[in-house]
Amino acid sequence: MSGTSGDTVRTSAPTPASTPADERSAVSPPGRTPPRVVSLVPSLTEAVALSVPGALVGATDWCSRPVDLDVVRVGGTKNPDVGRIVRLAPDLVVANEEENREPDLTALREAGIEVLVTEVRDVPGAFRELARVLDACRPGTRPRWLDEAEAAWTQLPEPARRTTAIVPVWRRPWMVLGRDTFAGDVLARLGVDNAYAGHTDRYPRVPLPDLRAAGADLVVLPDEPYRFTADDGPEAFEGLPCALVDGRMLTWYGPSLAEAPGVLSAALRAAHPRL
């Protein structure tokens, strides 16, 4: 769930598709021509769009940032339209090993398209992969937001105290963060330890009675991939404080990383003042 968790676990509608009549000429920026890039990962779409203007020619239906993004839509993260991507003739497709399916990436490679696949398990890894993607899009380009985001995380004070949380990402059935997740590492750096960090699965299905009996101090409820709200989620954990958090701040690795420590910390403290 690096920046989303895919089409099979979404409740909100995707961004309306934008399909120019001539897909090949979707972008024609003045001056130096950037590489033609298709992004299959929402957080990478935002990063590339803000860092290398004019480079993106295609993105998934789930790529909602920047809000004014106007490129060809190529389907979902789990079911992209490979033919449409090939017709866009990109120089590069950026993907993620968790977000996208290997058969689709293989088909793109077999069509002669370069595919860069990211793997993100923690905050330092996110910065390494972001630098790799942006360098592939335009070598030598390092946007200011990336420096600001790195500073925001490297200068975090050591948490004064720690707490343990359950972090659901879906219900019906209930699924939570398990081992080796980017979102789990984000929370750990803010003083919140994932109760299921030692689970053998990265996103285990856990029955609600077991979640209630896990002994956690807090429940963290993001608004994506499942859109938890004040009326949908907290009622299942009566007696436990629940922090409703911005899913983009918790799960996306991109420009939102600069704001994430402050935004998430405020939401966590509002639910659990001892943090």
Side-chain angles (χ1 to χ4, degrees):
M1 300 186 181
S2 50
T4 63
S5 67
D7 310 82
T8 58
V9 288
R10 289 188 177 273
T11 55
S12 57
T15 303
S18 171
T19 309
D22 180 4
E23 292 177 338
R24 182 64 182 82
S25 60
V27 176
S28 53
R32 178 185 173 187
T33 303
R36 296 175 63 83
V37 180
V38 171
S39 173
L40 302 181
V41 185
S43 55
L44 293 179
T45 297
E46 183 180 24
V48 174
L50 295 182
S51 306
V52 192
L56 277 175
V57 295
T60 75
D61 298 342
W62 298 111
C63 293
S64 58
R65 297 295 183 107
V67 294
D68 59 351
L69 183 67
D70 183 18
V71 298
V72 174
R73 299 295 175 162
V74 298
T77 58
K78 296 289 191 292
N79 59 344
D81 186 330
V82 172
R84 175 169 285 184
I85 296 172
V86 172
R87 290 193 297 275
L88 284 169
D91 301 301
L92 179 69
V93 171
V94 292
N96 176 263
E97 51 86 29
E98 178 181 86
E99 188 83 10
N100 309 117
R101 300 186 318 123
E102 183 56 38
D104 297 318
L105 305 183
T106 297
L108 291 169
R109 293 189 184 99
E110 290 176 347
I113 296 172
E114 180 181 356
V115 180
L116 187 161
V117 182
T118 59
E119 179 179 335
V120 176
R121 296 286 191 270
D122 54 28
V123 172
F127 288 122
R128 288 193 299 271
E129 293 289 63
L130 282 166
R132 187 164 71 99
V133 168
L134 297 179
D135 191 59
C137 292
R138 177 171 286 171
T141 298
R142 186 174 174 87
R144 179 178 298 177
W145 68 258
L146 187 54
D147 290 330
E148 292 174 348
E150 282 204 82
W153 284 98
T154 57
Q155 296 171 12
L156 270 181
E158 188 69 23
R161 54 184 62 85
R162 306 196 68 83
T163 192
T164 301
I166 299 164
V167 192
V169 293
W170 198 251
R171 69 182 302 178
R172 306 182 190 96
W174 286 95
M175 298 173 64
V176 298
L177 292 185
R179 63 171 178 83
D180 300 333
T181 65
F182 170 73
D185 187 59
V186 164
L187 290 171
R189 292 168 187 272
L190 299 175
V192 178
D193 297 317
N194 176 16
Y196 287 89
H199 200 282
T200 54
D201 296 332
R202 297 186 65 220
Y203 300 101
R205 297 185 180 191
V206 184
L208 183 57
D210 292 351
L211 294 179
R212 290 172 173 157
D217 307 304
L218 175 70
V219 182
V220 177
L221 297 170
D223 62 6
E224 64 171 84
Y226 186 92
R227 189 176 294 279
F228 288 107
T229 68
D231 299 318
D232 186 354
E235 81 289 346
F237 299 96
E238 187 175 354
L240 274 177
C242 292
L244 294 166
V245 302
D246 185 331
R248 176 169 165 261
M249 294 293 161
L250 180 62
T251 65
W252 287 38
Y253 54 97
S256 58
L257 280 168
E259 303 173 70
V263 172
L264 291 172
S265 293
L268 294 168
R269 283 195 301 269
H272 199 288
R274 287 184 296 167
L275 280 170

